[in-house]
Amino acid sequence: MTPYSKDFPVSWEELHRNARALSWRLLEQGPWKGIIAITRGGLVPAAILCREMDIRLIDTICIVSYKDGEAGQGAMKQGDLNVLKGVEGDGEGFILVDDLVDTGRTAAKVREMLPKAHFATIYAKPAGKPLVDTFITEVSQDTWIRFPWDMEYTFSTPLANRQEK
């Protein structure tokens, strides 16, 4: 059983608009030395931030935290955190970016690794929100955000037909 009872599909246009809004907020707080993206979810937002903020220095922290779920569920279950690649330093002057903060497990780990980085996400859930410095949209904890890179166009069952009767 998954802890997610709601779906929140995000289009490419919506993601781009929200990443630009994040850029506006972060520009006011700079100047910045660079951006550190948390892979994989932070890669697309980082690319948009780099362009909008005219930042050329980008690095990655590579962490695996989700594992494959049931067939058709995608990676909806958090597993053990596995740091594949870190970065040097304490993060001072850098924006640490991810697509979202969910339970806060990954956020706590990267905060431990880069305590002076400014942590920014597009989406934040209540459990992880206290670990983020800047975010754009809050969603409920029981919502699974479906990012455009994880989706393909297909038939959608009407919401009324999805409820248990």
Side-chain angles (χ1 to χ4, degrees):
M1 186 80 174
T2 166
Y4 306 104
S5 61
K6 298 180 184 92
D7 269 344
F8 186 76
V10 177
S11 69
W12 283 109
E13 181 180 1
E14 184 178 10
L15 181 84
H16 189 252
R17 182 176 48 249
N18 286 330
R20 288 189 76 204
L22 185 59
S23 297
W24 289 329
R25 289 190 184 165
L26 293 170
L27 273 170
E28 297 170 352
Q29 301 175 48
W32 302 103
K33 294 178 184 176
I35 293 177
I36 301 168
I38 300 173
T39 67
R40 291 180 308 216
L43 290 171
V44 172
I48 296 167
L49 293 180
C50 284
R51 181 199 183 271
E52 297 299 333
M53 299 174 71
D54 194 27
I55 293 175
R56 303 290 176 150
L57 179 58
I58 185 167
D59 202 347
T60 58
I61 288 184
C62 305
I63 298 180
V64 178
S65 62
Y66 282 91
K67 60 183 179 179
D68 290 336
E70 307 281 323
Q73 299 267 324
M76 296 176 90
K77 296 181 181 177
Q78 277 198 316
D80 294 331
L81 291 177
N82 184 10
V83 178
L84 304 174
K85 177 194 166 290
V87 296
E88 291 186 21
D90 59 10
E92 185 171 7
F94 282 84
I95 299 167
L96 179 62
V97 67
D98 207 351
D99 52 1
L100 80 135
V101 61
D102 190 332
T103 64
R105 287 181 60 236
T106 302
K109 182 65 178 176
V110 295
R111 279 278 197 208
E112 179 184 304
M113 296 167 68
L114 299 166
K116 293 186 179 178
H118 184 95
F119 193 13
T121 63
I122 296 176
Y123 301 99
K125 294 184 181 181
K129 189 171 83 168
L131 296 165
V132 177
D133 298 308
T134 304
F135 69 93
I136 297 301
T137 303
E138 183 173 355
V139 297
S140 63
Q141 198 68 43
D142 63 347
T143 298
W144 183 258
I145 301 172
R146 297 199 184 267
F147 289 99
W149 52 82
D150 290 329
M151 295 187 298
E152 57 186 29
Y153 290 107
T154 186
F155 173 77
S156 175
T157 304
L159 292 174
N161 295 343
R162 295 181 195 177
Q163 297 176 351
E164 292 183 37
K165 296 183 181 192

